[in-house]
Amino acid sequence: MLKKLFSHTAIYGFAPQVVKVAQIFILPLTTPFLTPMDYGVAGVVTAVVGAVSVFQSLGLNMILSNSFYKSPGQYKWLWRQIYAFLMLWNIVYALLISIIIWVFIPAEAQENRIWIILLNVFPLVFFGASGNIGNLYYQLKQKPVQIVVRSVCIGFIVLGLNLYFIRFLKMGYMGWFTSAAISSALLQISYVYPLYFKLGLRPIFNFKRKTVIKSLKVAGPTLPHFYSSYFLNSFDKFILKILGVPVSQIGIYNAAQTPGNLMASGVAAANQAVGPMLLQCYKNDDRIGERKLNFTVFTCVLIITSLSALFSKEWLPLLIRSKGLENIYTYAVIIIMAYNYRPMYVAANQRLFYVEKTKALLKVSTTAAVISIVLNFILIYFFGIVGAVITLFISLMYMGYSGFFIKEFKESKGTQHYPVIWLLITIVTTCLLYFAVELDVKVKVMILMAVLAGGFCVFLLNKSSALKIKLKK
């Protein structure tokens, strides 16, 4: 099982890193042509689009996933009906996005308002549901290569388009929006042929309304839960705008989230790989396998984020060369470490999804969202973007760990994961790294060697103990 976890994580996470490595060489070529204002406009537009992004799939992915495991012989019938419903719904969803962008777009981007709207809604109206259904199918079938080949190819297209639009055409923030629209449409189109002609997942537009309504009733309570991720990751930029923080300052904060987004994509790859395996563990009531999977993911994520944060002062200036963004590493350390919440979030809440205790998720997500909103208004008012960074860390930690303590998790006989210990380890490590990032690079290299040596020793001890158990048997 662990071998499959690492192989699938490698395919989901490290294979796309080929694109990330290419991006490392692209960033120095594009960032000199970008300003804090460009980052600010992009951040605000992304935030306002994120305000309705949760409604794109209406939480129906949970219904699709559960039917895949609970009704392996009949799930396609349900999938085809939901597929058709989502295609029709995306037209309404695109209208919502258009209104949101029209109302809240920054003054600095007013002249391009129509184009920004069109670039955001075009891929959704025509192809959005196909990308969603196709990606989910291959993830649940545990065929990561199908997903990764697409993401790698599209990733290189994005890099090429960004270089062309930003460096050569000098389009600024419009370069991002244009390349994102083209690449999104291509990715979603790539799923149409296999869905229609290979997998037999053509949409049934004459779907049974009762079936869709029943699915929406179960999935409905998850919408506020998923909506909380918007409040945690994007709404802070909206609050910065409301409180009158200059767009250039919002741009600095948005740029500081770039390394955090890289970490988040890597963590998401591990979670994408572990998700189907956890569902199998729940089905077989394999508590030992479940805990082993979650602990392995968390440990690996903690080590990778810690080392990335430790050396952020050295590697960030090599990538982001825009004037005014030289010292964003001080914010990046905390932002990077905040994403250690995700493995424990999955460990607690994946079980609640499986047993369809969806209303219980609101206790985790809604509270985290309220904490984020309240703290952002208070701390941003007094400390500016520093307050947004601190709020992000606190809110994500609550989101990641609170699920272990709610009544429904205990009633579902959730597996013990020792969340308090892992939370303390994360907080202490983050505090140490905030100061250690300023150390001399030689000292950092010594810390790196010590961590690697420690990790190798633990690996040998685990392998030795596993061998002894095997010999006893």
Side-chain angles (χ1 to χ4, degrees):
M1 185 179 290
L2 287 179
K3 188 179 290 186
K4 184 183 283 188
L5 168 64
F6 282 116
S7 64
H8 284 199
T9 300
I11 296 172
Y12 279 127
F14 298 134
Q17 295 310 312
V18 174
V19 179
K20 302 294 183 185
V21 171
Q23 186 180 21
I24 290 173
F25 295 99
I26 293 295
L27 281 173
L29 299 176
T30 57
T31 51
F33 299 89
L34 296 167
T35 66
M37 189 273 289
D38 289 313
Y39 281 98
V41 170
V44 172
V45 172
T46 301
V48 298
V49 170
V52 292
S53 63
V54 69
F55 296 105
Q56 183 176 359
S57 64
L58 294 172
L60 290 170
N61 279 8
M62 184 201 73
I63 302 297
L64 298 174
S65 299
N66 285 351
S67 67
F68 181 87
Y69 281 96
K70 295 180 179 180
S71 305
Q74 300 177 336
Y75 74 93
K76 285 189 177 181
W77 183 250
L78 176 64
W79 278 47
R80 293 174 66 193
Q81 295 183 72
I82 291 179
Y83 187 2
F85 172 75
L86 287 176
M87 289 182 73
L88 298 176
W89 166 250
N90 274 347
I91 298 173
V92 180
Y93 174 67
L95 180 61
L96 288 173
I97 286 182
S98 302
I99 294 172
I100 291 288
I101 294 176
W102 183 272
V103 173
F104 294 104
I105 197 166
E108 292 83 351
Q110 291 284 346
E111 60 182 353
N112 294 314
R113 181 164 53 186
I114 299 296
W115 276 111
I116 292 173
I117 290 173
L118 291 175
L119 291 171
N120 274 275
V121 304
F122 172 75
L124 292 171
V125 172
F126 294 99
F127 315 109
S130 299
N132 181 48
I133 297 290
N135 186 284
L136 183 62
Y137 174 84
Y138 286 121
Q139 180 187 346
L140 295 176
K141 272 290 187 180
Q142 298 189 38
K143 294 183 177 180
V145 174
Q146 291 286 343
I147 299 173
V148 169
V149 167
R150 287 173 168 82
S151 63
V152 169
C153 293
I154 297 300
F156 277 112
I157 291 173
V158 170
L159 294 180
L161 291 175
N162 278 336
L163 182 63
Y164 177 69
F165 290 134
I166 296 174
R167 181 179 179 86
F168 296 105
L169 297 187
K170 296 180 174 56
M171 293 173 62
Y173 61 83
M174 284 300 295
W176 278 324
F177 293 132
T178 307
S179 60
I182 295 172
S183 59
S184 178
L186 290 175
L187 177 62
Q188 291 157 8
I189 290 171
S190 72
Y191 284 108
V192 173
Y193 177 78
L195 286 175
Y196 277 64
F197 301 104
K198 288 187 175 182
L199 305 175
L201 285 171
R202 293 188 184 91
I204 300 175
F205 287 98
N206 187 26
F207 52 80
K208 294 182 179 180
R209 293 183 181 179
K210 288 184 179 180
T211 300
V212 173
I213 291 172
K214 182 181 177 182
S215 298
L216 288 171
K217 285 181 178 179
V218 177
T222 67
L223 288 179
H225 172 73
F226 288 124
Y227 201 56
S228 65
S229 64
Y230 163 72
F231 285 106
L232 295 173
N233 296 302
S234 300
F235 193 65
D236 47 8
K237 300 182 190 71
F238 194 57
I239 295 175
L240 286 164
K241 187 175 184 296
I242 291 173
L243 294 178
V245 176
V247 172
S248 59
Q249 283 289 301
I250 299 176
I252 291 173
Y253 177 56
N254 194 38
Q257 288 187 314
T258 301
N261 293 335
L262 293 175
M263 291 301 112
S265 64
V267 175
N271 293 149
Q272 197 172 6
V274 80
M277 298 178 201
L278 286 176
L279 290 172
Q280 198 65 48
C281 287
Y282 301 151
K283 185 177 181 179
N284 300 332
D285 198 27
D286 182 6
R287 302 304 178 105
I288 296 174
E290 175 194 350
R291 185 159 48 214
K292 197 171 185 180
L293 282 170
N294 287 322
F295 280 6
T296 301
V297 173
F298 183 85
T299 303
C300 293
V301 168
L302 181 63
I303 292 172
I304 293 170
T305 53
S306 297
L307 293 177
S308 299
L310 178 64
F311 288 95
S312 59
K313 184 178 180 180
E314 283 72 33
W315 63 268
L316 264 179
L318 298 176
L319 303 185
I320 300 178
R321 297 184 176 183
S322 303
K323 291 182 180 180
L325 301 177
E326 294 83 4
N327 296 319
I328 59 172
Y329 70 89
T330 56
Y331 309 120
V333 170
I334 298 174
I335 293 173
I336 289 172
M337 294 303 293
Y339 286 97
N340 281 290
Y341 90 96
R342 186 70 187 179
M344 281 299 169
Y345 166 84
V346 171
N349 295 291
Q350 186 87 353
R351 176 173 287 275
L352 295 177
F353 276 115
Y354 183 75
V355 297
E356 296 188 356
K357 295 280 186 179
T358 52
K359 292 182 181 178
L361 297 169
L362 299 180
K363 297 179 181 179
V364 175
S365 54
T366 303
T367 306
V370 171
I371 290 173
S372 176
I373 294 170
V374 172
L375 284 182
N376 266 318
F377 271 110
I378 296 172
L379 296 183
I380 289 174
Y381 180 81
F382 288 104
F383 304 109
I385 59 176
V386 175
V389 172
I390 296 171
T391 298
L392 178 67
F393 183 86
I394 294 173
S395 302
L396 289 181
M397 287 302 106
Y398 180 87
M399 185 79 164
Y401 288 89
S402 60
F404 291 106
F405 301 99
I406 62 176
K407 180 181 69 174
E408 288 79 4
F409 179 82
K410 296 174 182 177
E411 288 178 348
S412 68
K413 298 179 181 179
T415 305
Q416 173 62 265
H417 282 80
Y418 310 103
V420 175
I421 295 174
W422 288 110
L423 176 59
L424 289 174
I425 290 172
T426 305
I427 293 173
V428 171
T429 304
T430 302
C431 293
L432 292 174
L433 286 168
Y434 183 75
F435 297 101
V437 72
E438 300 289 355
L439 293 173
D440 184 79
V441 69
K442 293 179 181 178
V443 179
K444 294 181 183 180
V445 171
M446 292 175 64
I447 294 174
L448 170 63
M449 298 304 293
V451 170
L452 294 178
F456 184 67
C457 290
V458 171
F459 171 76
L460 290 178
L461 288 172
N462 284 337
K463 198 165 187 180
S464 176
S465 61
L467 183 62
K468 287 179 182 177
I469 294 171
K470 205 170 185 179
L471 289 173
K472 285 180 181 179
K473 290 181 179 179

